[in-house]
Amino acid sequence: MTDETDATQPADAAPTAPTTPAASRRLPVTDVSLVVLIGTSGAGKSSFARKHFRPTQVVSSDFCRGLVADDENDQSASAEAFDVLHYIVGKRLAAGRLTVVDATNVQPEARRQLIRIARDHDVLPIAIVLDVPPGVCAERNRSRPDRQLPAHVVPRQHRELRRSLRGLEREGFRKVHVLRGEAEVEAAEIVPEKRFNDLRHLTGPFDIVGDIHGCRAELETLLTRLGWTLVRDDAGRPVDAVHPEGRTAVFVGDLVDRGPDTPGVLRLVMGMVAAGHAICVPGNHENKLGRAMDGRKVTVSHGLQESLDQLAGESEEFRAEVRAFIRGLVSHYLLDGGALVVCHAGLPEKYHGRASGRVRSHALYGDTTGETDEYGLPVRYPWAEEYRGRALVVYGHTPVPVASFLNNTICLDTGCVFGGSLTALRYPERELVGVEAEQEWYAPVRPMRTDAPGAREGRPLDLADVAGRRVVETSLHGRVAVREENAAAALEVMSRFAIDPRLLAYLPPTMAPSATSGRAGYLEHPDEAFAAYRADGVERVVCEEKHMGSRAVVLVARDGAALEKRFGPAGPGAIWTRTGRAFLGDDALTAAVLDRLRAAAERSGLFEELRTDWLLLDAELMPWSLKAVELLRRQYAAVGAAAGAALPQVLAALELAGGRGLDVAALTGRQRQRAADAQAFTEAYRRYCWPTEGLAGIRLAPFQVLAAEGANLAVRPHDEHLAWIDRLVEADGAYAAAPLLHRTGRLVVDTADEASLAAGVAWWEELTAAGGEGMVVKPLASLVRGRAGQGRPGGLVQPGVKVRGREYLRIIYGPDYTEHLDRLRQRFLGHKRSLALREYALGLEALDRLAAGEPLWRVHEPVFAVLALESEPVDPRL
């Protein structure tokens, strides 16, 4: 087996330990491991487990026997019981839980199965042997009325135990603790210990440095650029570095080989690690160099000879320090509470924090397909393209032209030794810092790959990301569940009709109406909206004009290159509906709208102020007929046309009947009212329709700047948003003969001031009397939590409620809805309000993830959930 595929190195969590001396009372147990209790029946294993471990950590063969046979002593059910035991053990180990097996386990075949399960889940198997005299065990069994064993059982088990003691380590146990006699069992103390790779308590900040390969001069330059101060010995050689802000350097391995000064790099990095200023993981080149220096047989290739020759000029003491340093390197580290993983060749989430030869091999070499390329080098499996973990994985190993994030991973090997650059990642800032190589120190066998993980994600989305029942974690509203049937409906829309998902960074939430009004003749009125916010402790609200159009989300960039750099597709941007579909079917018209908006953003200085090359806006696009022309023709116009054709004839017939002396006055009055209602209905929807040609007649009314590069702006106060929008509108109007952008009228109301409340009501009445749809009432501060109660923090307050005018509601509920107000007032708003809050939290979660630079699948997860929730059955008139 060649060194490139050698997976025989020891696991990291703990080296093989000698059997615990008889006098020992402290038993180290790794926090994530499989503890196998070994002892004859009656040795006290169950009592030991109850004393030292939590009940949930212990899986007992007796308990599993009882599960399958209703009798813990039914030996005929042992096979099925151990199937259950092994299944439970596997599930716990998969979840990273310390698990203790309480069974006799004196036979090698019983232990072999448990060791295999531990290896399958990359955790350490630990044996704790209770070697209690057989006479004591037999006496204990006799004292138990439910446990009467044949006389030969305990002696036989004890003989099997004694035969096993010397071979437990060879079987695969990484730690073996033997407790001899009752006194040692009673005096034993379990000492929990962390895995060697668990540095979650270190939170940074970190400067993570990619593959150095002996390029000492470039490393010195990079550290200096990062703000480090080098410490030199009497010979002027760097032996340490200190950062004035207390940052910690992290090296991803491959310090050695190929470059001009491997000893210089080792001297500096080893000094930093020894001083506590840095940590380091091994690369495959350190692994190979260490084995060569230990005298093991290796193939001298890939620059190893250069390192051996350079180290030959160093002292034996220094070479011994190098050997010890390499032997002590741990394959990978969990840092910052588990949010950061650093390794050499990358690591899937299932291996994070685990310890086995398989994990170490992947951390050192990565995963290969078993094929070789035209240069004779192994073809590596693109694990990062399918990575879905929460932790950021920083690695090196495979040179890439430019370091960039891919599904929450980043490769920092930018080929310094091959004439590329040496790159570091500042964490948590996610800022890349690099220095160019002074020259090409080593000619690569394979040219620098241009198809390695680069600026864009290769396989950004997967069906598994959205299929089935989903639970999305949000920072503002906890866990939001998505039903499987709703996910299926959303998948149909998203896959067939939605715009490119790389652009679809946000979907707006639904909006609940205000509580039903008790005023005569009104279904909705501002009083209820103001009262609800006052009850939630919101002192100031902003009333915004509700435009006569359709909701539109607009992504606009300074140019195609800026859009491509951040989102992937090049182009002018996009405009989409609440369900993710392209708003305008005409690409040229979409581009024209975006061009005007881009020009306004440039002229207003908004790009510069927000330090961004793109903006995401929430808006209304008018007229309503621009998107809903078929709805108008089939649903609304048809009602008006039918009423206009039928009711005049009905009234004419009734008038003739009245002229003949029939008593039809009441019926005639009702029909006259119906005709008037139908006319009002027609006039109401016609206000939302007007002809357009190209840009002529189109109006765009932005009301919120949702996001910019690195920022979720949706949580900023609404008055800031409206001020930004006013600047856009002014810039567009100043430079265009026919302005496209439309101002949103607004009024700030104090919910505790009667005069202010009256002004808010009067403003709404003025808007609706003029034919307007109504207004939206929002907390001025935008993101608000309600008053806490019963020791619990307050929940999210509705981000906005709509208060629609009397005439507009004819469109929603029908021409004669005012005759049925008593019945309509019984409408149930609870589900709509719940849906609005869930979708609001999901939308903000998507914007937070977008601002944090998280991978597309993470941003898309809450966006998709919003679309899925839209399939929940809610009265569409609400």
Side-chain angles (χ1 to χ4, degrees), residues 17 29 102 116 126 148-149 171 216 234 240 295 386 422 457 495 592 647 733 759 873:
V29 171
D102 175 13
R116 183 189 65 78
I126 298 174
Q148 298 300 314
L149 301 176
E171 289 180 13
R216 177 192 52 77
D234 294 339
D240 192 8
E386 298 178 357
L422 183 61
E457 303 182 40
S495 60
L647 289 176

Side-chain angles (χ1 to χ4, degrees), residues 388-732:
R388 292 296 186 265
R390 295 296 301 272
L392 170 64
V393 179
V394 184
Y395 66 106
H397 189 52
T398 304
V400 295
V402 179
S404 59
F405 290 95
L406 170 63
N407 286 338
N408 216 21
T409 75
I410 186 168
C411 177
L412 295 183
D413 183 1
T414 47
C416 181
V417 76
F418 300 131
S421 61
L422 183 61
T423 300
L425 171 70
R426 283 189 171 123
Y427 178 93
E429 300 88 342
R430 290 193 173 218
E431 177 187 352
L432 292 168
V433 179
V435 297
E436 296 298 316
E438 294 186 356
Q439 66 177 73
E440 181 184 271
W441 299 104
Y442 193 92
V445 174
R446 175 174 55 201
M448 290 280 286
R449 292 180 58 183
T450 58
D451 60 338
R456 296 270 41 96
E457 303 182 40
R459 214 176 294 165
L461 295 175
D462 189 271
L463 178 63
D465 295 332
V466 294
R469 184 181 185 275
R470 315 293 301 175
V471 176
V472 183
E473 294 281 353
T474 68
S475 61
L476 296 173
H477 202 60
R479 295 158 62 89
V480 177
V482 177
R483 296 191 183 101
E484 181 176 3
E485 58 270 27
N486 293 350
L491 184 61
E492 171 79 4
V493 173
M494 193 69 74
S495 60
R496 294 184 60 190
F497 307 113
I499 65 169
D500 190 321
R502 291 173 293 177
L503 300 174
L504 197 60
Y506 177 82
L507 286 178
T510 190
M511 183 179 296
S514 63
T516 302
S517 175
R519 287 197 179 201
Y522 288 90
L523 187 61
E524 296 176 10
H525 192 274
D527 286 346
E528 283 69 30
F530 297 148
Y533 280 123
R534 183 169 58 250
D536 282 325
V538 180
E539 296 179 357
R540 303 184 75 203
V541 296
V542 59
C543 305
E544 295 182 7
E545 172 190 1
K546 200 168 190 309
H547 298 288
M548 298 182 291
S550 301
R551 194 77 168 265
V553 181
V554 184
L555 174 64
V556 60
R558 276 182 150 168
D559 52 46
L563 193 75
E564 183 177 18
K565 178 182 178 182
R566 183 60 185 85
F567 294 94
I575 306 173
W576 60 89
T577 68
R578 287 194 64 245
T579 56
R581 307 174 191 229
F583 197 106
L584 303 170
D586 187 334
D587 290 343
L589 182 57
T590 299
V593 172
L594 291 170
D595 284 343
R596 287 282 295 275
L597 183 57
R598 180 185 307 108
E602 289 283 11
R603 292 163 181 153
S604 66
L606 210 54
F607 284 132
E608 286 78 9
E609 179 179 330
L610 298 177
R611 299 178 182 179
T612 185
D613 288 330
W614 58 270
L615 293 170
L616 189 67
L617 300 101
D618 207 350
E620 287 276 330
L621 193 55
M622 299 170 279
W624 188 28
S625 54
L626 193 63
K627 186 187 79 168
V629 61
E630 286 302 312
L631 179 68
L632 287 166
R633 181 180 297 117
R634 296 178 181 179
Q635 182 170 325
Y636 299 115
V639 171
L647 289 176
Q649 296 185 35
V650 169
L651 287 172
L654 288 172
E655 288 174 358
L656 288 174
R660 292 198 297 270
L662 297 176
D663 185 11
V664 292
L667 180 59
T668 303
R670 286 198 299 272
Q671 296 307 311
R672 291 187 194 279
Q673 184 59 50
R674 290 186 65 195
D677 288 343
Q679 181 62 32
F681 171 84
T682 303
E683 292 174 356
Y685 79 74
R686 280 179 176 172
R687 295 190 186 100
Y688 297 83
C689 311
W690 58 80
T692 64
E693 183 176 352
L695 282 182
I698 294 179
R699 300 176 192 168
L700 180 68
F703 52 83
Q704 193 170 24
V705 183
L706 296 167
E709 184 62 50
N712 174 4
L713 301 174
V715 296
R716 303 277 284 271
H718 282 293
D719 51 356
E720 292 187 29
H721 289 276
L722 294 170
W724 289 329
I725 299 303
D726 286 349
R727 286 165 51 188
L728 286 175
V729 173
E730 183 180 0
D732 180 61

Side-chain angles (χ1 to χ4, degrees), residues 513-525 528 806 809 813 817-830 833 875 877-878:
S514 63
T516 302
S517 175
R519 287 197 179 201
Y522 288 90
L523 187 61
E524 296 176 10
H525 192 274
E528 283 69 30
R806 280 168 46 103
L809 287 173
Y813 288 100
Y817 86 101
T818 52
E819 298 181 20
H820 310 287
L821 284 179
D822 289 341
R823 183 158 52 89
L824 290 175
R825 287 193 176 104
Q826 299 174 17
R827 60 184 186 170
F828 179 66
L829 300 177
R833 290 169 175 169
D875 187 344
R877 297 173 299 181
L878 298 178

